[in-house]
Amino acid sequence: MSNLQPVRGTHDLLPEDRRRHRHVEDVAMATSGLYGFEEMATPIFEFTDVFARTLGDTSDIVTKEMYTFETKGGDKITLRPEGTAGVARAFISNGMAQHAPIKVFYNGPMFRHERPQKGRQRQFHQFGVELIGVEGPQADIEVIALAHQILGGLGLADQVKLEINSLGDVESRSAFRTVLVDYFKSYESELSEDSRDRLGKNPLRILDSKNEGDRKIIAGAPDFAEHLNDASKLFIDTVQTGLTDLHIPFERNPNLVRGMDYYCHTAFEFITTELGAQGAVLAGGRYDGLIGQMGGPSTPGVGWAAGIERLAMLSDVSPTRNRPISVIPVSADLGSKAQTLVQDLRNAGLFIEFSFTGNMKKRLKRADKSNARAAVILGEDELKDGNVVLRDLDSGEQKVILLSDVAQTLKSNYG
RNA sequence: GCGGGUGUAGCUCAGUUGGUUAGAGCGCCUGAUUGUGGUUCAGGAGGUCGUGGGUUCAAUCCCCAUCACUCGCCCCA
């Protein structure tokens, strides 16, 4: 073993880090439950086609960021770079259309071969929701309301800002695309190299270029909102009205577009300025064409995904470990007696740490380190009369109680 | 994939204009207190100075490469 570093872009989550992630997940899951979403899980890898066909030939994710390999059986496999494609595939594979609409959430690791940065790892974790089978804008409002409530539950309401935009339906988008290409063509020589490249592949993406020269040209570009057809216009207006009615603040950002091809109508992002270049903490949109395009029954859908790492970094909350009660035998030959007591107390539903080694001083010190609330001390002198010492570690007060009363006393004092 | 910065103890960081035993705070261990923690005091352990190569009598320090982290671009959660 020559290298004990973890693979680039991967990290160990030690208990403290994991606790922070877990808190984010707990809030997200509990809140999703209130909205009637249920957890599901799909495999961490899929056939490469599942992602390659759905994310779009021009997306960076497909063209350069996927972990793809061939199995011994010759199958082309990819570690999932995002969650929606897998859920859509599962929707089709399991004939879930008959149960539509379905409301699910997922939670787990995703993989993208990008250059690591703060808030951007190669293995990272996403929590996401999908609402599949509802055509109307109420579904969009519902998933955004859920996102808003989760972020609020994490205490991040003031640190993030919601931006939304409409990508229109297929008709609107292709019409706008023509208009947009015409416009940018007339400035082609002044565009950045990246944007010139996008002109042929995905001209909408030019709109969110950060290049300064591009920005000037974009400022004069045609506005998608003015090129939406009536149906698309009504759709996004309804979403906006709904958000306003629910007192969810948002801003329309005409330059908000999506990296993945399957989005239409509503696109939204909750963004922050506190994570440097990694501004998006939760983002999603509507993907009516996706399931049909994968070969399933034409089914609309809307959803989003949130980066657990980014949310955890943003959140000030550092949840503390539960506080145990320590059981300490004074001498080694009381070990088995102590072990029995420990077992009884755990069976009674109490969080007990058994102090294995060391002298009294050491064991109490360790109990203190573990943030124990109390220590039950077993000593020969007290045991002769069937007693033990119960010491409260916050106050330092201790009293002698009957061994047979320990469980009940602990439950009433610390349960 | 492109450009900049950083890498010294478990953690946060000093330091060496190239020269004998590389320091601090926190943490850890031991003792004062062999049946009582959090405070205090005394002592102690812990370092391939990221890795590999080069220059030099001599490299933790200079040079090159490489790895990791980090900031920006890109992309996105």
Side-chain angles (χ1 to χ4, degrees):
Chain A
M1 197 175 296
S2 60
N3 191 349
L4 294 176
Q5 282 179 330
V7 173
R8 182 172 200 197
T10 67
H11 284 106
D12 299 312
L13 282 175
L14 301 183
E16 196 183 328
D17 308 317
R18 179 60 194 138
R19 223 161 38 224
R20 295 176 70 94
H21 282 211
R22 181 59 178 267
H23 177 247
V24 173
E25 293 167 4
D26 285 347
V27 169
M29 288 190 199
T31 312
S32 300
L34 299 178
Y35 284 69
F37 285 76
E38 280 201 289
E39 182 164 20
M40 72 174 280
T42 62
I44 277 176
F45 49 73
E46 299 270 359
F47 290 117
T48 300
D49 271 359
V50 170
F51 305 113
R53 285 223 310 261
T54 58
L55 296 178
D57 303 333
T58 60
S59 78
D60 280 35
I61 292 181
V62 171
T63 53
K64 45 194 187 199
E65 294 177 359
M66 296 205 305
Y67 280 91
T68 295
F69 56 96
E70 193 164 311
T71 65
K72 287 180 183 174
D75 292 325
K76 279 193 82 179
I77 297 295
T78 293
L79 300 183
R80 63 183 186 193
E82 57 94 44
T84 301
V87 171
R89 193 232 79 227
F91 180 86
I92 301 168
S93 306
N94 296 289
M96 289 164 82
Q98 62 178 319
H99 302 301
I102 63 154
K103 297 156 83 172
V104 292
F105 67 83
Y106 58 83
N107 178 43
M110 306 290 165
F111 305 85
R112 293 183 199 171
H113 193 102
E114 300 181 276
R115 177 129 175 197
Q117 264 183 44
K118 189 198 195 88
R120 190 169 88 183
Q121 284 97 46
R122 289 181 172 180
Q123 176 177 338
F124 61 104
H125 299 82
Q126 283 189 339
F127 179 93
V129 309
E130 313 291 355
L131 203 177
I132 300 174
V134 177
E135 210 167 337
Q138 284 68 35
D140 307 50
I141 298 167
E142 174 144 318
V143 298
I144 294 174
L146 169 56
H148 180 257
Q149 190 166 342
I150 289 170
L151 295 171
L154 291 168
L156 302 179
D158 295 335
Q159 290 171 71
V160 298
K161 191 172 86 178
L162 171 60
E163 293 190 345
I164 78 166
N165 194 26
S166 172
L167 305 177
D169 56 15
V170 175
E171 183 187 284
S172 297
R173 195 156 63 245
S174 78
F176 180 62
R177 187 185 159 117
T178 310
V179 174
L180 199 62
V181 170
D182 281 351
Y183 172 79
F184 283 126
K185 274 272 197 287
S186 56
Y187 294 94
E188 189 163 2
S189 57
E190 298 162 51
L191 285 172
S192 67
E193 196 185 323
D194 283 340
S195 289
R196 272 205 302 278
D197 197 42
R198 290 180 192 130
L199 197 48
K201 292 180 185 166
N202 193 346
L204 261 65
R205 290 280 318 287
I206 300 177
L207 291 174
D208 72 349
S209 167
K210 286 180 199 158
N211 180 284
E212 230 174 276
D214 288 353
R215 299 262 25 125
K216 286 182 192 142
I217 301 170
I218 292 160
D223 186 349
F224 200 167
E226 289 164 16
H227 291 79
L228 293 174
N229 59 22
D230 290 346
S232 297
K233 216 171 269 176
L234 178 63
F235 195 99
I236 192 67
D237 286 349
T238 310
V239 172
Q240 294 192 179
T241 306
L243 294 177
T244 306
D245 288 347
L246 298 180
H247 307 293
I248 297 170
F250 67 92
E251 248 174 63
R252 182 77 175 260
N253 175 1
N255 296 327
L256 174 64
V257 295
R258 292 267 73 117
M260 291 167 237
D261 283 359
Y262 53 61
Y263 286 109
C264 63
H265 287 301
T266 320
F268 58 92
E269 283 184 6
F270 285 85
I271 58 175
T272 176
T273 53
E274 292 175 32
L275 293 177
Q278 270 59 51
V281 295
L282 186 155
R286 178 162 279 274
Y287 48 85
D288 291 349
L290 174 64
I291 289 170
Q293 181 189 327
M294 287 180 85
S298 175
T299 310
V302 58
W304 51 256
I308 303 286
E309 282 84 357
R310 292 181 184 179
L311 290 175
M313 275 191 288
L314 225 47
S315 170
D316 293 331
V317 181
S318 61
T320 49
R321 189 171 182 260
N322 285 339
R323 302 186 64 187
I325 290 159
S326 187
V327 170
I328 302 178
V330 162
S331 62
D333 43 320
L334 291 172
S336 64
K337 187 131 200 161
Q339 184 84 67
T340 308
L341 175 62
V342 164
Q343 191 63 24
D344 289 345
L345 297 177
R346 287 175 178 161
N347 283 336
L350 290 156
F351 175 19
I352 303 297
E353 288 276 27
F354 182 29
S355 191
F356 294 102
T357 57
N359 55 26
M360 265 300 275
K361 181 189 171 78
K362 212 169 188 177
R363 291 179 194 222
L364 266 172
K365 201 166 197 163
R366 207 165 290 137
D368 188 50
K369 277 265 159 61
S370 75
N371 200 20
R373 311 168 74 180
V376 177
I377 302 167
L378 279 72
E380 277 96 353
D381 298 349
E382 292 83 1
L383 276 172
K384 274 180 211 151
D385 306 319
N387 292 327
V388 298
V389 174
L390 173 58
R391 181 179 179 86
D392 185 286
L393 293 178
D394 289 336
S395 66
E397 284 166 23
Q398 64 180 45
K399 56 190 174 186
V400 175
I401 62 171
L402 276 172
L403 177 59
S404 52
D405 288 346
V406 172
Q408 204 181 350
T409 307
L410 290 178
K411 283 208 127 179
S412 58
N413 288 356
Y414 305 103

